[in-house]
Amino acid sequence: MEITLFSKCIKDLIVENDRVDVPYLGTFTAEMMPAAYSDRQTTIHPPYRKMSFHKGEVSLSEGRPLLNKVMREAGVSLEQAGVELGWCLSRLSSELEGSKICRLPGLGVMRANARNEFFFVPADDLDIWPDGIGFEPISIKLPKEEIPVQAGNDEEEKPVQQIVPQDEKPEQRSEIPDQVGNDEVTQVGNDEVIQAGKEVAAEVHHRKKLQPWVIVLIVLAALLALFIAASYLFTDFMSPVLDRLLYNKEELELLRGR
């Protein structure tokens, strides 16, 4: 039996079953995988059935569904199907142990590691879930910057706004009114943006820069605070100074006369 027929039998059975036991080799299994985001979360992949292989001891009775499938596909007796399957599995195992790889047409690739442990790598286009036919990945990536293009004047009926992708070729874009060319529109837009940026930067710089009178007020307030604190802490020393600030000469002589 050719490896192509073996692959077809496995695929037909795994479509209808969750597992296919292969005598003296192992078990192919299929499990449902839920919808999932891509690595960068820009695409939603639909649910699918994932196929894998586990090496192990499988008896002839456990592999009977596969034998029956081979018998029907090859048009031979059950005993002959067992012989054909045995020869096919023997060649498959020898190829895996020798070259470490064996291709299963329509399914994928069987591989073996250094310890002769077999595993299965499904093909990218493997479809073993009939109910999932038509499911496609959904892209949720934000579109590139789009430029609205309008035509006509205020007196005419306002046309439907057209959205033109930025990466579209110039010759594919809708025409802009004749009185203003594409280069001029772009230049005017850039100049306005640059001027606005300069004005914002100047305003921020002006606000950050302290005015001189503000600095003077801060210094005077600090000196006044120091003077008041010294008056409380050094009463004996500061008392004559305070008297001269608070009283005139005559009032001082009256205070001293007391």
Side-chain angles (χ1 to χ4, degrees):
M1 183 176 68
E2 296 294 334
I3 194 69
T4 303
L5 180 58
F6 172 76
S7 300
K8 182 180 183 305
C9 293
I10 295 295
K11 184 175 182 179
D12 291 345
L13 289 173
I14 203 68
V15 167
E16 302 175 355
N17 303 274
D18 292 334
R19 59 181 293 166
V20 177
D21 295 311
V22 182
Y24 311 115
L25 184 67
T27 303
F28 288 93
T29 60
E31 59 178 334
M32 284 298 304
M33 303 299 293
Y37 283 104
S38 62
D39 293 339
R40 297 184 179 182
Q41 297 188 352
T42 58
T43 305
I44 301 177
H45 295 281
Y48 68 100
R49 289 183 80 207
K50 180 182 178 181
M51 184 175 176
S52 58
F53 175 81
H54 304 280
K55 186 178 180 180
E57 295 294 332
V58 178
S59 64
L60 283 174
S61 60
E62 292 174 328
R64 186 63 179 268
L66 178 59
L67 283 174
N68 292 335
K69 181 67 175 177
V70 172
M71 179 184 66
R72 293 191 298 270
E73 292 293 333
V76 297
S77 64
L78 183 62
E79 292 76 9
Q80 185 64 29
V83 173
E84 294 288 339
L85 181 61
W87 278 106
C88 181
L89 294 178
S90 177
R91 293 194 302 271
L92 187 149
S93 298
S94 299
E95 189 170 351
L96 285 174
E97 293 174 358
S99 61
K100 305 300 182 183
I101 184 173
C102 180
R103 300 188 181 280
L104 303 180
L107 283 180
V109 178
M110 290 286 293
R111 293 184 178 274
N113 56 21
R115 294 178 294 181
N116 283 331
E117 296 176 343
F118 301 163
F119 58 95
F120 174 71
V121 181
D124 294 337
D125 57 349
L126 178 62
D127 185 7
I128 55 175
W129 187 33
D131 293 340
I133 295 177
F135 287 180
E136 297 291 341
I138 300 176
S139 177
I140 56 176
K141 184 177 181 181
L142 294 176
K144 293 183 178 180
E145 183 180 359
E146 297 177 338
I147 304 174
V149 178
Q150 296 183 353
N153 51 38
D154 296 337
E155 297 178 358
E156 298 177 355
E157 183 180 357
K158 186 176 180 180
V160 178
Q161 185 177 10
Q162 299 178 359
I163 304 300
V164 180
Q166 189 176 11
D167 55 352
E168 189 176 3
K169 294 182 179 180
E171 58 271 21
Q172 295 178 344
R173 300 187 180 182
S174 299
E175 295 183 357
I176 299 177
D178 296 334
Q179 62 270 23
V180 182
N182 293 346
D183 296 338
E184 184 178 353
V185 171
T186 304
Q187 184 63 36
V188 171
N190 291 339
D191 292 342
E192 292 178 353
V193 172
I194 294 172
Q195 183 62 28
K198 291 181 179 180
E199 292 177 357
V200 171
E203 180 69 17
V204 172
H205 179 72
H206 178 71
R207 291 182 179 180
K208 289 184 177 180
K209 185 177 179 181
L210 292 177
Q211 299 297 329
W213 62 269
V214 176
I215 299 175
V216 173
L217 287 179
I218 294 174
V219 173
L220 291 177
L223 292 175
L224 180 60
L226 289 175
F227 182 78
I228 295 173
S231 300
Y232 280 100
L233 295 176
F234 307 102
T235 306
D236 296 338
F237 176 77
M238 296 296 295
S239 180
V241 178
L242 291 175
D243 290 343
R244 290 184 178 182
L245 292 175
L246 297 175
Y247 306 106
N248 56 29
K249 185 175 180 181
E250 296 177 355
E251 291 174 341
L252 287 174
E253 290 179 355
L254 290 175
L255 288 175
R256 289 173 182 173
R258 292 180 182 180

